[in-house]
Amino acid sequence: MKKSMLVLALLALLSLALPTLAQEGAVTPVNPDAQITFPPPVFVLRGTVEIIGTANLSDMTTYFLEYRPLNDDLTPTNREVWFPATLPSQSAVVDDVLGRWDTSLAGDGLYEIRLSVNVGTGDPVTQIITPLRVENTPSPFVIFSTPTPLPTATSAVPPTATPIPPTPTPSTPRATITAAPSGNVRQGDSTAFGVIASLPVNSELDIIGISNRGTGWFQVRIPNGQTGWVSPTIVSTTGDLSGLPRVQPPAPPPP
């Protein structure tokens, strides 16, 4: 009698535990219109990495990429803190480059990266790729083979020739117009502002700041010395953007 009662009690406890276990093991399906396809989990990254995927929800407003470090047991070092890997973008992307993450600014170690797609109403749609390893400084036990250079003819370079020094890389971040046939430089950080210059594709501009409103627009200096604002969706950038000053744009014009 006592044994049968004990068996019934154990079965009752097991029936209560099974729904909880099923809920904890559930996997949230990935939205094909808001996902990262590269890099995959358990991948080693170095330098500037192109993050490939799709951000193409019907009511999307912006999307951006973030990262955060992990402990050795793959738990986040701080669950509440994410660091920006890219600036927000308003342009839809389908199976292409979502952004470029400069891993040298993060330091070697374990990380996870998150895509967040903001929509007009409701919570953002997110996907996390974890874990990833950043390894810009290889282990001292890794041996790299050095290829043997092929012999060259001594007459190829005259003895009196002076080597041409490499072109120095400018320290000032620069933006290159990618919109064809031209891109607009505006008075403020949205399309509501007037156009002060329309520059042809491949025009290069010095970046001197970034909007402190979180729009991602850059403050730039055009060739005549005048300053204005360009959207990150119509330019590509070079140089270190991490030290850009946050600039207060003009007040938005009345509707």
Side-chain angles (χ1 to χ4, degrees):
M1 183 65 177
K2 292 182 178 180
K3 290 184 178 179
S4 61
M5 292 180 64
L6 179 60
V7 170
L8 290 174
L10 289 175
L11 289 174
L13 290 174
L14 183 59
S15 65
L16 293 174
L18 284 176
T20 302
L21 292 174
Q23 183 177 2
E24 291 178 353
V27 177
T28 303
V30 176
N31 189 323
D33 292 325
Q35 65 170 331
I36 297 173
T37 55
F38 180 86
V42 196
F43 203 81
V44 178
L45 310 177
R46 291 190 180 94
T48 300
V49 180
E50 290 188 340
I51 309 299
I52 309 297
T54 297
N56 190 34
L57 297 176
S58 59
D59 55 345
M60 181 183 80
T61 56
T62 59
Y63 77 86
F64 54 91
L65 296 166
E66 302 170 292
Y67 67 92
R68 66 180 175 185
L70 301 176
N71 297 310
D72 291 339
D73 61 356
L74 303 185
T75 59
T77 58
N78 189 328
R79 292 184 179 275
E80 306 301 324
V81 177
W82 288 86
F83 299 94
T86 66
L87 295 169
S89 176
Q90 299 174 342
S91 300
V93 175
V94 178
D95 195 22
D96 207 338
V97 178
L98 293 167
R100 293 170 176 81
W101 178 25
D102 186 358
T103 64
S104 64
L105 303 177
D108 291 359
L110 294 171
Y111 292 87
E112 58 186 2
I113 191 165
R114 178 174 72 177
L115 167 66
S116 295
V117 181
N118 293 320
V119 293
T121 58
D123 296 329
V125 179
T126 62
Q127 187 204 9
I128 297 176
I129 301 297
T130 184
L132 299 167
R133 178 177 291 278
V134 172
E135 194 175 87
N136 287 299
T137 305
S139 167
F141 300 103
V142 177
I143 300 175
F144 295 95
S145 60
T146 303
T148 303
L150 296 175
T152 56
T154 56
S155 59
V157 178
T160 57
T162 302
I164 301 175
T167 303
T169 301
S171 59
T172 303
R174 296 181 66 80
T176 302
I177 300 291
T178 57
S182 62
N184 292 330
V185 181
R186 297 182 178 270
Q187 296 171 339
D189 62 336
S190 78
T191 55
F193 289 92
V195 176
I196 63 174
S198 185
L199 302 177
V201 66
N202 295 326
S203 298
E204 293 189 353
L205 312 168
D206 287 339
I207 302 176
I208 58 179
I210 187 170
S211 172
N212 65 2
R213 290 199 187 111
T215 60
W217 282 53
F218 297 111
Q219 187 183 41
V220 297
R221 180 178 292 108
I222 60 179
N224 67 1
Q226 192 175 2
T227 60
W229 297 83
V230 294
S231 168
T233 62
I234 67 165
V235 297
S236 63
T237 61
T238 57
D240 184 7
L241 303 178
S242 61
L244 286 176
R246 302 281 175 173
V247 180
Q248 177 68 41

